[in-house]
Amino acid sequence: MDASPDIVGATATTPASYTVVNKRWEFNGTATLHLARACEKDSWSPAAPGQFAMLYALGVGEAAISFSGLPETPGRYVVTVRRAGAISDALTRLKRGDGLGLRGPFGVGWPLDSVKNKDVVVVAGGLGLAPLRPIIEYLAHDRGVANSVSVLYGARSPDAILFERDLSRWRNDAGMNVRVTVDAAASAWRGDVGLVTTLIPEIEFRPKNSVALICGPEIMMRFAAEAMEDAGLPQKAIWLSMERNMKCAVGFCGHCQFGSYFICKNGPIFSYDRIRDTLLVREL
Amino acid sequence: MGGTEADIDDFGGAFTLQRADFQALLDALSKLGYDIIAPTMKDGAIVYGAIRAVEELPIGWTDDQGPGRYRLSKRLDGALFGYAVGPHSWKKYLHPPERELWRAKRNGNAVTFKTKPPDKQKRAFLGVRACEIAAIDIQSRVFVDDLYSDESYETRRRNTMVIAVNCSSPAETCFCTSMDTGPAVSGGYDLLITEVVEENAHVFVMKAASNAGQAVLAQLPLKTASPADVASSRAVIRGAEQAISRTMDTEGLRELLQENPEHPQWDDVASRCLSCTNCTAVCPTCFCTTVADHTGLSGEESRRLQTWDSCFSGAFSELSGGSVRQSTKSRYRQWMTHKLSTWIDQFGASGCVGCGRCIAWCPVGIDITAEVTSLRAKPKKEA
């Protein structure tokens, strides 16, 4: 074999070393991790809202995780991970000070140019609120960007509501119309119960001057996109964050193909008009 | 169409090497530092492997192929390249079946990573057919010319000399003429060889298209190709063209596949397909891979290996809720639609070069050209 020395340093296919500098349990099995670059020599680039990273737990594997926060400090990222399999389990078990690998940011994010002066309708289901959080924060920070912002969020139960403090802040400080509904709840819950799509007719927006940003389980996104189209939004104004089995994140491994698209490099955010027909085909 | 008289590389500046001097080509390549990879015989098939001597080529052998069938048989002559393509393709070397991506190690609390430098060994691929040059070009579009570039692939490709050999003996499974990729080689090579076997002559008409190719020719006992040699070379190519009878109608194929995801033919082919992954393994353009961590018992060190994967496996489309493509129908549809249709959207060319490997190596003889014909038939009314 070649006697050349090994190469140290991150590339698009080799992770960079990161450290967990802060960790917060959102609720049982779901944690938000603040990550800091361990080696100054590794390149870092700011992520756009909606982009994702490949996170690596030593000896377990890599998983595609969207950024849930975008710190301005170079070398920092924020992600929210739900325990769903061996890799995400290992990631949620990481403690402050633990190391992990990170590749990214990858993919095409939410359409920041398209939200200007629009009524923005954010529809999130479950952990789908996490990839939306950076663009909601952006709209909360620059309140003049959008004409109005509605955040419709459906969680499984009252104790599985993500970012509760953010939700109140967006409602009370940023003037957003924040509506939370749960699939099922005990009688102590005073909020809405039912599918997130049932909230759509209850909010105000100008259909021809609106943008919908949708993230959640695929079935929920399909119904939400249809509901927004029924409400008068053109398909081009409806945006979805898609998920498929992303392994390499750079278009080499072929796993995340969705019709003509590679979710990793052409997405994960797509306008509805580009993927509507594909979404309707089973097992594609 | 590929290989018509007009677009065959003209034989101006061609030279002739005698059969008795062919070893000189191998010696020159070795001397210049190339590992020579060429057709060899192993386990009853013609496969690619390292050689040093001309005797290691499948001299006097040919292949007899059909749907689900591949047999070697003796030729009546001593041709060195008198066969079509076997189960291997050159992707075995450019895009290896297994490759270490990186190693991870725990250092205190940190996890650190290192990678091996790219493989810079010079290789000469001897006996590359026109369809295989097209396949190499297609994989390069995936790994080099796309959004990201794979340094490992790019380095191996850059250090590879392509010694093409015009096809003289296409198999019954070949349909390169339909895919516009052959049988005549029309570019993408360093050296081009046309083997001429006649009653009283056995020569190789050679041409260089690069400095690396010129450097090899400079080492050989060559004569300027005679008009008769050139005429014989043209006859070889014309003979190959005429020997290809299988066709695939590509007109509107991209649209046909994308518009018919629910065509009943998908159920029909699924009733025959074993989801065995043979077609993706032998396909010279299929590029999909997966990764696996190989972790030591201490859990402190891990190697990440990339291996070829197949869209016919269940794990391929796995998400936390289960595989997206549960049925064989959906997997075959994904493979064929990608190969012949969405590939064009993704990389600007079809993913099929018409080499026929998927037809020959399918254990139940599924024939992609016949499947296209069936998909073109109007969907039958469901009973």
Side-chain angles (χ1 to χ4, degrees), chain B residues 92-113:
Chain B
K92 178 183 156 190
Y93 295 95
L94 292 171
H95 177 45
E98 182 179 288
R99 179 163 80 84
E100 181 184 299
L101 290 184
W102 37 262
R103 286 169 187 243
K105 192 179 176 185
R106 197 185 304 283
N107 285 326
N109 276 340
V111 181
T112 57
F113 301 87

Side-chain angles (χ1 to χ4, degrees), chain B residues 136-284:
Chain B
I136 291 170
D137 174 62
I138 286 170
Q139 282 210 330
S140 297
R141 289 175 191 230
V142 177
F143 293 124
V144 183
D145 304 332
D146 204 55
L147 189 59
Y148 293 90
S149 180
D150 179 351
E151 193 191 0
S152 151
Y153 179 95
E154 196 276 323
T155 307
R156 276 190 300 274
R157 176 68 191 89
R158 186 158 28 86
N159 289 304
T160 296
M161 169 177 292
V162 172
I163 305 177
V165 175
N166 271 317
C167 191
S168 63
S169 313
E172 187 271 327
T173 42
C174 293
F175 56 103
C176 62
T177 44
S178 295
M179 303 315 292
D180 232 353
T181 60
V185 173
S186 60
Y189 60 86
D190 294 285
L191 280 176
L192 173 59
I193 297 176
T194 309
E195 180 176 28
V196 176
V197 190
E198 288 168 346
E199 217 172 308
N200 298 313
H202 189 173
V203 299
F204 300 87
V205 177
M206 302 183 71
K207 215 187 141 187
S210 69
N211 291 337
Q214 293 283 6
V216 175
L217 287 192
Q219 309 273 324
L220 305 182
L222 299 168
K223 278 196 197 135
T224 300
S226 68
D229 293 336
V230 170
S232 299
S233 299
R234 293 219 165 99
V236 166
I237 293 164
R238 214 168 299 121
E241 274 166 15
Q242 285 162 1
I244 294 170
S245 57
R246 183 178 293 274
T247 59
M248 185 159 82
D249 180 3
T250 58
E251 181 73 31
L253 193 50
R254 177 189 162 275
E255 293 75 15
L256 178 83
L257 286 160
Q258 291 186 32
E259 287 163 9
N260 283 287
E262 309 294 358
H263 195 291
Q265 185 60 23
W266 299 121
D267 289 307
D268 185 278
V269 69
S271 71
R272 290 171 278 135
C273 174
L274 307 176
S275 225
C276 74
T277 78
N278 264 18
C279 50
T280 54
V282 297
C283 177

